[in-house]
Amino acid sequence: MGIPDIKFGQELKVFFTVPNQQIMSLISLNLNPNLVVAAFINFHLLMVEVILYFKAGSIARVKGSIQNLQTERGFLMTFLGDTAMHLQHNKNLLTDIEAIVKEVGRFLYFFFFTIILLVISMKKGTGKAMTDFEAVVNEVGSLLHIKFFNLIEDITLQTTKEEDGYKKKGIKLEVTKKEITESEEWDLALSNLLTKFELLKTKIKEHCIAVSKMPSDMTPKTLVVSLFIVDSVLDDLMDLINNKPGKIIGVEDQIATLHKELMSLGSSVTDMAGQEEAEHEELMIQMRDEILQMSDIVYEVEYVINSFPHVWYLTLRLPQLIEKIQLIKMAIKDMKNSIDVAGIPEVAKYQVEQVSSQSTKYHVLGNIVVGFEKVANEILEQLVRGLDHLEIISIFGMPGLGKTTLASKLYNDPSVVDHFDKRSWCVVSQTYNKKILLIEILSSMDPNKRETFMHIKAESLVEKLYKTLKELRYLIVIDDIWDINVCNDLKRYFPNDKTGSRILFTTRYKDVGSKASPHSVINALSFLSAAECWELLKRKLFEDKNCPQELLNIGQKIATSCHGLPLAVVVIAAVFANVGKKEHLWQEVDRNLSSHISDNPNKFMKILELSHEHLPNHLKQCFIYFGAFEEDEEIPVRKLISLWKAEGFIKKEDQKCLEDVALEYLMHLIDRSLVLVSKRSFDREVKTCNFHDLLREMCLRIGEEKNFLKVVKFDDDYPQLFLSQVCMYQHHHSLRISESHSRCSLPFGLHMRSLRCHIRVMTTLIPSSFKVLSALEFRRSRKVHIVIGIENLVHLKYLAISGELPPMESFHKLEFLYVDNSNIVEIPDVLLAMMSLRHMHFRGGGCCFSESIRGQATKEQNFQLSKNIQSMSVIIIFDETTEKILRCCTNLHRVKCRLTTKRHYSFDSLNHVSLVNFFS
């Protein structure tokens, strides 16, 4: 072994060594030691995934042992993530676990270093490495942020030069058999490791038995109330009983008892929440701790049963779970009895009457503009009068002042509509994507061609836009520009034919407007006066009616507390609309508001927080979840509802499907002015929705404070290797990675239920730490992409991916599938047989039915398919056989098809489908 090899080996060894607390403190990570060990195990499991993905014949002998090692380490990670196990009280067990983890780290280091030496040897001997060995090195190098092959080239070059020097001195340098360990030695090392795992499991069993004799830990661990997640976990228990009996041999009765007790607990809480909320408002407040404990125990049950631990572990844990549930049920019963005796105040009763009546009102007064009459008239003059040359006009002001509302009012003003030949509206926000923005501008002028524009290159879209606007008088409205470079880039695409065309944009930064053009016109929005705030509040609450006399003083006081921010007025109006128009209720809101905003620099955010505090419990999670979407993202309603369902936010109701219940939840949020309608379908249903920036920021902050939601963006300074996974490990239920350029592995999250990310690398490793992940949105920028380990995510209910469709056999719980594919995908037969799948969408290249399904449809008279699929797209139409297959999907409501021939197909038999779209 050469000197460069030794140095490289020392550097590589660092990656496989569990860091001590001193090292962790140097990188400002104050973490629980067993959390670090758990994250390190996850890192090891990623490495094992690479080994199993490696198809070299030299590991065939040890592949079975490596799979056993994977199983044992998976259990060890599950155990460390089971927070109810009081591990902090057993330092010796933690020490033993860390010792064996370090030993496995040494084995993996030795394994990969051996492979790397083989690559070096092959390169020196033949000029190129063996393909399979090279694949392994590439995968590991990508994972560790090391360009291994660059290092190997350097090492080979250095050692070649050194060999020449050594030969002159009579020294021979070569890679010997002693230094290249054979697979027999790997097998022996693995056997010794597995023996030590058995001894460790004995100690874990003893610890579990000791913990079972300790009092149950009833301290709430989450601040997020999840009333209806119990329905999802009950479904998981039934799935375990009906479809995986082999995994619960010996504990069938305990699983059945757990199901019974959990169902009883869920009924006792959701019955209260499901009735008129007013009757139980006081009860829900007084029972806050019990409700949080219920949410905790449900998540704990979900984690234990879905992590697939050993049966002996279930034997010890299930009685503890049952006992906890029974204790919570007793506490709820005692609390209800005490409140029944004391009675419930009348205050909340009136509150729910208002909620009930509001739910049928699907809009809260349109775009009311108060206080901006003067500036609105000035901008209107700038648009339809003035010079003939192309003029850039800006509206700037802080978020929530009403820039977008004012721009929308001007855009739709009759004099503006009549004055311009072409009008277009688009939104930029923080993330600028030229092609997407060009598509938005063109689609706004010609909505029917949006799908066509999606498949045109950016350069061609620029040409199309220029030709479309040439010689015409046009108005382009660009909402929410953050960066002057966006404006400088875009204005090159708009012709200046001196026809009186205008570009109007909104921004929160004055310099964007001033730098847009030497002759640009800047319009600043100021805060509303107290009188204008009161006028806006009255119009939101009473429309054209007078305000009751007893509410005048308190109403004016509250309007003044909004400090001139229109968005704050709108949010307060929504709160009042749901508490009722009574003086004592308004006074209560005023007291809460005053306590928040006095001399507080974040007073606007505190005002907006009332919108969250006054939501019913079952809507709070749905509301905060909007923070997981990107800024100014136009959210398809069916996607949003599918995500809510996968998260377990929606209550099961008799005679109603979950989609209808979820839609009611969304309409409640729209009624309260918390969610905005972007687009409606031909039948006036909400098709897409969006969210104000300030409300999104508030949801992100609340979500992170409550360990519910986190958004992460990686940069070059982010800690490497498994340390980044430790940093990312938090008890957040939902995580969004806004962009990842250089990582090939996803974060470590044993309790994570939802993950949305954008990946730009060639290879992605799916960690086995995702024990309860139910929703995964996985966008990738590359057409060629390798994903390792996605088949382990067996609890997914929502899957949205870019690129090739992965093997689908393990996703038996899947309800929503979205694939952004460039080529035509043949729908796997297993998808059409899934009982749970409701929505299946292939964008871009579209999809077609397999030859086997088409053959069955042609030959079999009683051919049938899944009765649960409700929507499909984009189906490639080849012939009439496709019609028969679609006809057999009896619950299909929406389908989008692409015709490949000019032959006409009537598809008259699809009368059960409410919406059928065809395009060529």
Side-chain angles (χ1 to χ4, degrees):
M1 183 183 295
I3 295 174
D5 296 350
I6 295 173
K7 182 180 177 182
F8 173 66
Q10 291 171 342
E11 292 177 354
L12 181 66
K13 192 171 185 178
V14 173
F15 295 113
F16 294 89
T17 304
V18 179
N20 55 36
Q21 287 299 299
Q22 183 178 2
I23 294 175
M24 299 301 289
S25 63
L26 290 176
I27 56 175
S28 302
L29 287 179
N30 184 20
L31 296 172
N32 192 315
N34 61 306
L35 179 63
V36 176
V37 175
F40 205 81
I41 292 173
N42 182 66
F43 172 72
H44 285 174
L45 287 171
L46 288 173
M47 309 302 280
V48 171
E49 286 284 357
V50 173
I51 296 174
L52 295 176
Y53 183 74
F54 177 41
K55 298 184 172 55
S58 59
I59 69 160
R61 179 186 179 114
V62 296
K63 188 170 184 178
S65 296
I66 289 176
Q67 288 173 329
N68 291 337
L69 181 68
Q70 182 184 37
T71 301
E72 297 300 343
R73 293 187 68 76
F75 163 72
L76 203 55
M77 186 169 62
T78 297
F79 173 67
L80 289 169
D82 194 350
T83 54
M85 282 292 94
H86 299 284
L87 272 174
Q88 66 274 17
H89 299 304
N90 195 334
K91 303 289 185 183
N92 291 334
L93 182 57
L94 277 174
T95 301
D96 291 339
I97 292 173
E98 184 172 341
I100 197 167
V101 170
K102 287 181 176 179
E103 193 164 343
V104 174
R106 286 193 293 269
F107 168 80
L108 291 174
Y109 155 73
F110 189 60
F111 182 92
F112 285 114
F113 189 48
T114 300
I115 296 297
I116 292 166
L117 287 178
L118 281 173
V119 173
I120 295 172
S121 177
M122 296 298 174
K123 277 185 170 285
K124 288 166 60 177
T126 65
K128 64 177 182 178
M130 295 172 59
T131 303
D132 286 339
F133 283 122
E134 191 169 350
V136 170
V137 176
N138 186 40
E139 302 299 340
V140 179
S142 174
L143 181 63
L144 301 183
H145 285 238
I146 293 178
K147 294 182 178 179
F148 270 131
F149 286 107
N150 290 347
L151 290 171
I152 289 169
E153 293 289 350
D154 292 341
I155 291 172
T156 305
L157 182 63
Q158 291 177 37
T159 53
T160 301
K161 290 179 179 179
E162 289 169 0
E163 282 177 1
D164 292 339
Y166 290 152
K167 285 178 181 178
K168 292 178 181 179
K169 299 177 182 179
I171 301 173
K172 186 177 181 181
L173 178 66
E174 62 180 6
V175 180
T176 67
K177 289 183 179 180
K178 184 177 180 181
E179 291 162 337
I180 305 297
T181 308
E182 298 293 341
S183 62
E184 290 86 349
E185 295 186 39
W186 292 345
D187 197 13
L188 179 61
L190 281 168
S191 178
N192 291 334
L193 279 175
L194 292 172
T195 300
K196 292 181 179 180
F197 267 106
E198 290 301 318
L199 296 173
L200 180 62
K201 283 194 293 185
T202 301
K203 296 180 180 180
I204 291 175
K205 290 178 185 179
E206 293 171 354
H207 172 77
C208 292
I209 293 171
V211 167
S212 67
K213 298 175 182 178
M214 296 171 62
S216 293
D217 179 12
M218 302 301 288
T219 304
K221 300 175 183 63
T222 177
L223 297 177
V224 178
V225 175
S226 184
L227 293 175
F228 308 135
I229 183 64
V230 66
D231 290 333
S232 177
V233 178
L234 287 171
D235 288 342
D236 289 340
L237 284 168
M238 289 307 300
D239 177 65
L240 200 58
I241 294 170
N242 296 329
N243 300 323
K244 303 181 181 73
K247 293 184 177 293
I248 57 173
I249 295 175
V251 293
E252 299 93 331
D253 293 342
Q254 290 174 313
I255 292 288
T257 302
L258 180 62
H259 183 276
K260 178 183 176 181
E261 293 291 342
L262 196 58
M263 180 180 290
S264 175
L265 174 63
S267 297
S268 64
V269 175
T270 56
D271 281 351
M272 294 185 300
Q275 296 175 18
E276 294 299 313
E277 182 117 342
E279 298 176 20
H280 297 288
E281 182 75 14
E282 186 72 13
L283 178 61
M284 299 293 275
I285 292 172
Q286 294 190 32
M287 294 180 57
R288 180 176 178 273
D289 285 347
E290 284 74 16
I291 294 171
L292 287 173
Q293 288 171 4
M294 184 217 72
S295 189
D296 268 356
I297 187 62
V298 173
Y299 283 125
E300 189 177 330
V301 170
E302 179 187 51
Y303 178 79
V304 170
I305 66 170
N306 285 344
S307 296
F308 299 136
H310 298 297
V311 172
W312 65 261
Y313 191 73
L314 289 176
T315 304
L316 297 172
R317 284 294 279 124
L318 292 178
Q320 296 173 357
L321 296 173
I322 293 169
E323 180 189 2
K324 282 186 178 183
I325 293 172
Q326 291 170 342
L327 289 173
I328 296 172
K329 283 170 56 181
M330 289 172 59
I332 290 174
K333 183 178 179 181
D334 292 343
M335 184 70 73
K336 286 176 65 177
N337 290 338
S338 64
I339 291 179
D340 287 341
V341 173
I344 298 175
E346 169 268 339
V347 172
K349 289 185 180 179
Y350 188 82
Q351 182 175 357
V352 174
E353 293 172 9
Q354 295 299 318
V355 174
S356 179
S357 63
Q358 277 292 112
S359 64
T360 60
K361 185 177 178 183
Y362 285 176
H363 60 280
V364 182
L365 300 178
N367 290 333
I368 296 176
V369 178
V370 172
F372 298 138
E373 290 81 2
K374 181 181 178 182
V375 70
N377 289 330
E378 291 174 353
I379 299 173
L380 188 61
E381 286 290 314
Q382 296 162 12
L383 291 173
V384 300
R385 305 278 190 271
L387 302 175
D388 288 336
H389 66 74
L390 175 63
E391 201 164 33
I392 298 178
I393 303 167
S394 65
I395 304 173
F396 95 91
M398 74 162 286
L401 268 181
K403 301 184 295 296
T404 301
T405 301
L406 178 57
S408 176
K409 181 179 175 65
L410 292 165
Y411 182 79
N412 293 297
D413 188 280
S415 61
V416 170
V417 174
D418 293 338
H419 183 72
F420 292 98
D421 303 314
K422 292 278 187 181
R423 293 178 307 132
S424 179
W425 179 288
C426 62
V427 181
V428 181
S429 74
Q430 283 180 284
T431 305
Y432 170 55
N433 184 305
K434 182 171 73 173
K435 179 176 179 180
I436 291 177
L437 195 62
L438 289 169
I439 292 171
E440 291 300 321
I441 294 172
L442 288 165
S443 299
S444 181
M445 293 184 285
D446 195 348
N448 294 327
K449 292 186 177 180
R450 181 181 182 85
E451 196 72 30
T452 303
F453 296 144
M454 295 290 292
H455 297 89
I456 299 177
K457 293 183 178 179
E459 293 74 15
S460 300
L461 290 173
V462 170
E463 183 180 355
K464 173 71 174 176
L465 176 61
Y466 193 88
K467 289 181 178 179
T468 300
L469 300 177
K470 187 66 177 171
E471 305 296 339
L472 297 177
R473 180 187 295 151
Y474 58 84
L475 169 64
I476 308 295
V477 179
I478 308 174
D479 189 29
D480 201 15
I481 288 186
W482 286 61
D483 189 347
I484 185 59
N485 294 324
V486 176
C487 194
N488 292 335
D489 186 34
L490 285 176
K491 66 184 180 183
R492 297 180 293 132
Y493 310 144
F494 302 118
N496 185 2
D497 298 316
K498 297 185 178 180
T499 56
S501 297
R502 300 288 185 264
I503 297 174
L504 173 66
F505 66 82
T506 68
T507 180
R508 59 183 69 184
Y509 302 116
K510 185 177 181 179
D511 64 336
V512 174
S514 62
K515 295 177 181 177
S517 168
H519 308 292
S520 61
V521 182
I522 303 172
N523 300 276
L525 291 192
S526 58
F527 290 95
L528 301 182
S529 66
E532 289 168 338
C533 281
W534 174 230
E535 179 64 23
L536 178 59
L537 185 60
K538 283 194 300 182
R539 290 176 63 178
K540 282 288 185 182
L541 288 172
F542 305 107
E543 301 186 19
D544 297 327
K545 299 175 183 177
N546 293 326
C547 172
Q549 188 67 31
E550 68 271 15
L551 296 179
L552 279 174
N553 290 335
I554 187 65
Q556 290 172 351
K557 182 183 177 184
I558 290 173
T560 302
S561 298
C562 291
H563 297 276
L565 188 69
L567 180 61
V569 178
V570 171
V571 169
I572 291 296
V575 171
F576 282 150
N578 287 281
V579 301
K581 299 178 178 67
K582 287 189 176 182
E583 185 178 8
H584 69 281
L585 296 175
W586 284 32
Q587 288 173 340
E588 180 63 28
V589 172
D590 178 53
R591 282 192 292 272
N592 292 334
L593 189 62
S594 299
S595 65
H596 280 313
I597 66 175
S598 56
D599 300 322
N600 191 322
N602 297 319
K603 54 191 173 188
F604 296 123
M605 195 64 79
K606 293 297 182 182
I607 295 170
L608 299 180
E609 282 183 11
L610 280 177
S611 61
H612 171 260
E613 293 170 8
H614 281 261
L615 282 174
N617 278 317
H618 67 281
L619 292 182
K620 286 182 178 178
Q621 286 185 119
C622 299
F623 175 56
I624 296 175
Y625 198 77
F626 275 93
F629 293 95
E630 295 182 9
E631 183 185 3
D632 293 320
E633 181 176 352
E634 194 168 292
I635 308 164
V637 168
R638 298 193 179 279
K639 170 182 176 178
L640 175 66
I641 287 175
S642 295
L643 283 165
W644 282 353
K645 284 174 56 187
E647 290 278 6
F649 296 165
I650 312 302
K651 181 188 178 184
K652 288 185 177 180
E653 294 187 14
D654 294 336
Q655 310 302 319
K656 282 185 180 179
C657 67
L658 287 178
E659 284 84 356
D660 290 342
V661 178
L663 185 59
E664 290 178 4
Y665 289 7
L666 176 61
M667 297 316 302
H668 284 315
L669 294 174
I670 291 173
D671 288 348
R672 293 165 181 263
S673 299
L674 298 177
V675 178
L676 306 173
V677 176
S678 298
K679 293 179 182 176
R680 292 184 182 270
S681 59
F682 71 95
D683 55 359
R684 303 303 297 159
E685 286 187 3
V686 180
K687 187 175 181 180
T688 62
C689 60
N690 58 21
F691 205 46
H692 195 282
D693 292 351
L694 273 183
L695 291 175
R696 176 180 174 272
E697 291 172 16
M698 182 190 72
C699 286
L700 283 174
R701 186 171 59 78
I702 293 175
E704 188 157 351
E705 287 174 356
K706 294 180 179 292
N707 290 332
F708 176 73
L709 172 68
K710 187 176 180 67
V711 173
V712 176
K713 184 169 183 177
F714 288 113
D715 54 39
D716 293 336
D717 297 328
Y718 208 83
Q720 294 183 354
L721 312 176
F722 88 100
L723 291 182
S724 64
Q725 296 179 339
V726 176
C727 295
M728 298 269 298
Y729 183 91
Q730 315 229 5
H731 288 282
H732 291 93
H733 287 243
S734 177
L735 182 72
R736 180 169 68 81
I737 303 174
S738 59
E739 199 164 284
S740 181
H741 292 272
S742 56
R743 295 174 57 86
C744 71
S745 62
L746 297 179
F748 170 51
L750 289 168
H751 302 274
M752 194 182 301
R753 305 189 80 253
S754 175
L755 175 64
R756 303 177 67 217
C757 54
H758 188 185
I759 303 294
R760 292 180 179 269
V761 294
M762 287 292 293
T763 303
T764 301
L765 302 174
I766 306 290
S768 55
S769 62
F770 292 141
K771 300 295 185 181
V772 294
L773 195 72
S774 60
L776 174 64
E777 183 170 316
F778 195 42
R779 292 185 296 149
R780 307 191 292 266
S781 300
R782 295 176 179 268
K783 292 182 180 180
V784 180
H785 192 272
I786 300 172
V787 180
I788 302 175
I790 194 171
E791 67 279 358
N792 296 326
L793 306 180
V794 296
H795 302 297
L796 283 182
K797 297 178 182 177
Y798 176 100
L799 175 61
I801 58 173
S802 303
E804 294 183 4
L805 187 68
M808 301 301 296
E809 286 75 14
S810 58
F811 303 124
H812 67 282
K813 295 182 181 180
L814 195 65
E815 297 176 2
F816 183 99
L817 174 65
Y818 177 91
V819 183
D820 188 359
N821 52 296
S822 55
N823 301 316
I824 297 177
V825 173
E826 186 176 275
I827 303 172
D829 294 358
V830 67
L831 277 183
L832 300 174
M834 285 183 177
M835 297 301 296
S836 57
L837 190 63
R838 300 289 186 273
H839 307 281
M840 180 170 54
H841 301 284
F842 292 84
R843 181 184 171 186
C847 61
C848 63
F849 296 109
S850 68
E851 287 300 321
S852 61
I853 290 293
R854 291 170 60 81
Q856 291 177 48
T858 303
K859 299 174 184 178
E860 299 177 13
Q861 188 172 359
N862 297 321
F863 175 73
Q864 290 185 339
L865 277 181
S866 171
K867 297 181 180 179
N868 296 315
I869 294 179
Q870 299 174 5
S871 65
M872 299 175 70
S873 67
V874 173
I875 306 296
I876 309 299
I877 302 296
F878 294 112
D879 50 41
E880 290 89 344
T881 304
T882 305
E883 177 187 11
K884 181 175 182 180
I885 297 173
L886 293 174
R887 188 169 68 243
C888 293
C889 300
T890 53
N891 277 326
L892 189 64
H893 301 315
R894 296 170 181 267
V895 62
K896 182 181 289 187
C897 304
R898 181 188 300 158
L899 300 174
T900 57
T901 67
K902 295 183 179 180
R903 183 177 176 181
H904 176 70
Y905 299 104
S906 65
F907 288 88
D908 294 334
S909 61
L910 297 182
N911 51 15
H912 66 288
V913 181
S914 59
L915 180 61
V916 184
N917 287 337
F918 293 97
F919 65 96
S920 56

